[in-house]
Amino acid sequence: MLAKTGLLVVSNHKQIGEILSSVQKQVKNTLYIQFLSALGEPLGSFYPKTFNAWPKFSQTIFNVYSQAATHCHNLDVKVLLSGIKYNIPKIQTQKPIDLIIFDKYHSQEDIDNFIKARIQNITEEYNVLTIDTGDLEITEENIDNDESVYKHTVLGGTFDRLHVAHKLLLSEAALRSNEIVTVGVTEENMLHTKILWELIEEIDVRVKSVVDFLKDICPELKYNIIPISDPFGPAIMDPSMELIVVSKETVKGGEKINEIRQQKNLNPLKIAPVELVDEPNPNPIEEAKISSSTTRGIASGKSGVAKWLAELGVLIINCDIVAHDLYKPGMPCHKLIVEHFGDDVLAANGEIDRKVLGGIVFGNSQLQKLNSLVWPAIAEEVNNIIRNTDKKVVVIEAAVLLTADWQKYCHEVWTTLVPREEAINRLILRNALTEEQAKNRLDSQSPNTYYVKHANVVFCPLWPPEYTKQQVDRAWELLQKRLL
């Protein structure tokens, strides 16, 4: 059985890739990494033997997270800095440790003494594992980094679903500070230019993730985590700040901040650019670097996702088709619609002209009336189909699933979405609508953020079909595990 949380005690940092490759098979959720040359040595003794200043540890941190991106993509890896920077009495972690891993063999007495004296938060039924990587030859690293340490460092970003790039930036800020770290976290008003910004976590969630990470890796520092509503935040006004940490791709942003500070007669900030980790398995449509930056509504690609699911053996109930059948003469909805909207909605053959009906209801209060007439009949028919199928998995494909409260018939909600501009373009091309008509159609339903908030799984068919299929195959694989 996998441990939930592991603590890896590393003496040979040059073999970290080999170690992490093995650890991935032992730990499920969180892996803390503590660098320590020998169990009998005090915490804080590692870097003087290998480096002559804290910031020179930056390259080792980069190497660790780079290897973690390759070998531990499902683990929340955290390199602990307290036991490197300070001679602290115990290793402190927010989550209790239930597996301690060593990269070389130690006597049982040394292990027992280390665990008792040095680990603050450990479960009663912990386990110990040794992954031997050979003897360590301690040599000072010849790395040409700025060795300066600063009282107050600052950085900013979106910090959505904290990943390796964020950890590198935050770790660099914590490593170079001896007192205060300020982090600006972008608020929603700054996110709307991003593709699929609706998938970005709420500001409170992102702030908490940053706080939790920093307090785990180095709780001795003071942290100011500030939501910001402009690109510069407090960095252009706080005279106590001395260093700004940026990615190498955003150095110009740091330079712009210094221009503004000089205009305000503030000292310019030292700029510390951080190299981002290469994406280990990029798709052709993905960036090469790990950046620090069913059923949704109409024109969002839900039919494409449904098609892939059907090929996997799923029963797809398309509510548009169900409704179309119920609109036919002699069926329940036909009479109700004609009684309310009149004969003008009838085609020459006596059937409901859905295009005429759509032109009447979209963009005004009549849509609500139409829904109240047809939704109960659609729900009844859908449930009849479900009761009479032998399929293990059934998908209700409906743009109005949540609006109609049909999620109560489902175990999970899967949603698809594309940016609003893309949905408008698709409606114009597919349905031969004007731009105004397309916007009215979209305005008649809830925004993307609503669907994301209520979804268990989210797809984005914005890219070529083969990538949508990859999303569906992955979601299907995970669903099979949940069905066990």
Side-chain angles (χ1 to χ4, degrees):
M1 184 177 179
L2 293 178
K4 289 184 178 179
T5 304
L7 171 66
L8 172 60
V9 182
V10 176
S11 60
N12 189 350
H13 64 287
K14 294 183 179 180
Q15 298 296 326
I16 193 68
E18 177 184 342
I19 302 170
L20 291 178
S21 179
S22 299
V23 170
Q24 166 72 14
K25 304 170 185 176
Q26 308 294 332
V27 182
K28 182 179 181 181
N29 296 330
T30 304
L31 178 67
Y32 294 107
I33 297 178
Q34 176 64 62
F35 285 88
L36 187 65
S37 299
L39 298 191
E41 293 184 352
L43 297 168
S45 65
F46 181 85
Y47 92 82
K49 290 189 174 183
T50 313
F51 309 97
N52 57 23
W54 296 341
K56 288 199 171 185
F57 195 66
S58 296
Q59 185 60 44
T60 299
I61 293 176
F62 176 89
N63 292 339
V64 171
Y65 283 119
S66 179
Q67 294 292 336
T70 300
H71 299 293
C72 303
H73 57 277
N74 291 326
L75 281 181
D76 180 14
V77 176
K78 300 179 180 181
V79 179
L80 301 177
L81 301 183
S82 295
I84 297 171
K85 295 177 63 173
Y86 311 113
N87 185 6
I88 57 175
K90 290 190 175 185
I91 298 170
Q92 301 180 42
T93 58
Q94 295 191 75
K95 295 182 180 179
I97 307 299
D98 48 20
L99 177 65
I100 304 99
I101 307 155
F102 300 99
D103 68 346
K104 67 179 181 179
Y105 288 104
H106 302 278
S107 70
Q108 189 61 50
E109 181 180 2
D110 285 345
I111 289 175
D112 291 341
N113 289 337
F114 175 81
I115 292 173
K116 182 178 180 180
R118 301 292 184 85
I119 303 179
Q120 179 75 34
N121 191 4
I122 190 169
T123 62
E124 293 183 1
E125 298 180 354
Y126 68 86
N127 291 307
V128 175
L129 174 67
T130 298
I131 302 173
D132 188 23
T133 59
D135 294 331
L136 169 66
E137 180 181 351
I138 299 177
T139 57
E140 181 173 332
E141 299 283 342
N142 184 21
I143 300 172
D144 188 22
N145 281 359
D146 175 15
E147 300 176 11
S148 302
V149 176
Y150 301 84
K151 177 181 178 181
H152 191 172
T153 65
V154 62
L155 71 160
T158 304
F159 298 103
D160 178 44
R161 292 171 175 82
L162 210 65
H163 53 65
V164 167
H166 299 137
K167 292 176 181 180
L168 284 170
L169 294 168
L170 293 169
S171 296
E172 184 72 8
L175 194 64
R176 287 176 171 270
S177 176
N178 57 17
E179 190 168 328
I180 304 170
V181 175
T182 294
V183 183
V185 181
T186 51
E187 292 184 330
E188 183 178 309
N189 70 294
M190 292 177 60
L191 303 178
H192 291 183
T193 57
K194 293 179 177 286
I195 295 176
L196 299 178
W197 65 268
E198 298 94 338
L199 297 180
I200 295 175
E201 295 170 312
E202 296 289 337
I203 181 70
D204 292 345
V205 175
R206 290 182 281 127
V207 166
K208 184 178 185 302
S209 295
V210 171
V211 171
D212 288 347
F213 178 78
L214 289 171
K215 287 188 175 180
D216 244 345
I217 66 169
C218 195
E220 292 79 9
L221 297 174
K222 178 183 177 181
Y223 297 111
N224 300 321
I225 315 300
I226 304 172
I228 57 175
S229 57
D230 65 77
F232 307 114
I236 60 172
M237 61 185 69
D238 192 329
S240 71
M241 293 177 177
E242 300 170 335
L243 175 78
I244 183 167
V245 175
V246 298
S247 69
K248 286 191 174 180
E249 287 79 359
T250 58
V251 168
K252 289 185 177 180
E255 294 172 347
K256 181 63 178 178
I257 284 173
N258 277 340
E259 288 181 18
I260 299 174
R261 285 179 67 89
Q262 290 178 327
Q263 293 170 6
K264 295 176 177 287
N265 296 319
L266 298 175
N267 291 329
L269 302 174
K270 172 71 177 180
I271 299 176
V274 174
E275 179 71 32
L276 297 184
V277 172
D278 287 333
E279 169 61 51
N281 298 295
N283 286 321
I285 61 170
E286 291 180 325
E287 295 181 4
K289 299 288 186 181
I290 299 178
S291 174
S292 56
S293 70
T294 268
T295 86
R296 165 60 165 94
I298 49 181
S300 64
K302 64 184 184 302
S303 297
V305 170
K307 181 192 74 172
W308 295 120
L309 288 169
E311 292 185 2
L312 292 168
V314 174
L315 172 63
I316 307 295
I317 303 176
N318 186 318
C319 288
D320 281 344
I321 295 175
V322 172
H324 189 274
D325 290 340
L326 293 174
Y327 280 22
K328 291 180 179 178
M331 298 299 287
C333 295
H334 186 277
K335 180 180 179 181
L336 294 173
I337 292 171
V338 173
E339 285 180 350
H340 182 78
F341 293 99
D343 293 341
D344 290 342
V345 299
L346 292 177
N349 60 3
E351 294 189 359
I352 302 293
D353 188 325
R354 292 164 64 89
K355 188 172 184 179
V356 172
L357 182 61
I360 294 173
V361 300
F362 281 111
N364 59 56
S365 60
Q366 289 296 308
L367 179 59
Q368 185 175 355
K369 179 59 182 179
L370 176 64
N371 292 339
S372 70
L373 295 175
V374 303
W375 282 353
I378 296 173
E380 182 179 354
E381 181 61 21
V382 166
N383 280 302
N384 285 335
I385 296 172
I386 294 172
R387 283 191 292 268
N388 289 289
T389 185
D390 58 356
K391 294 286 188 179
K392 187 176 182 180
V393 178
V394 177
V395 168
I396 302 173
E397 181 189 344
V400 297
L401 185 83
L402 296 175
T403 311
D405 197 29
W406 291 342
Q407 73 273 16
K408 62 188 177 187
Y409 306 126
C410 306
H411 295 90
E412 295 187 1
V413 174
W414 292 16
T415 191
T416 65
L417 60 86
V418 294
R420 176 179 171 85
E421 293 74 17
E422 175 68 14
I424 291 171
N425 290 335
R426 292 185 180 190
L427 276 174
I428 292 172
L429 292 173
R430 189 189 71 188
N431 293 29
L433 300 178
T434 65
E435 182 176 349
E436 182 180 359
Q437 288 171 328
K439 289 180 177 179
N440 286 339
R441 290 281 183 99
L442 288 178
D443 291 340
S444 70
Q445 64 179 31
S446 300
N448 282 344
T449 49
Y450 173 80
Y451 294 96
V452 171
K453 182 178 180 180
H454 291 85
N456 301 96
V457 177
V458 178
F459 299 99
C460 176
L462 187 59
W463 296 279
E466 57 266 29
Y467 298 107
T468 302
K469 187 177 186 303
Q470 288 180 10
Q471 295 178 49
V472 173
D473 289 343
R474 178 59 174 160
W476 179 254
E477 177 186 339
L478 296 172
L479 175 64
Q480 300 315 299
K481 294 178 180 179
R482 295 196 293 275
L483 292 176
L484 293 178

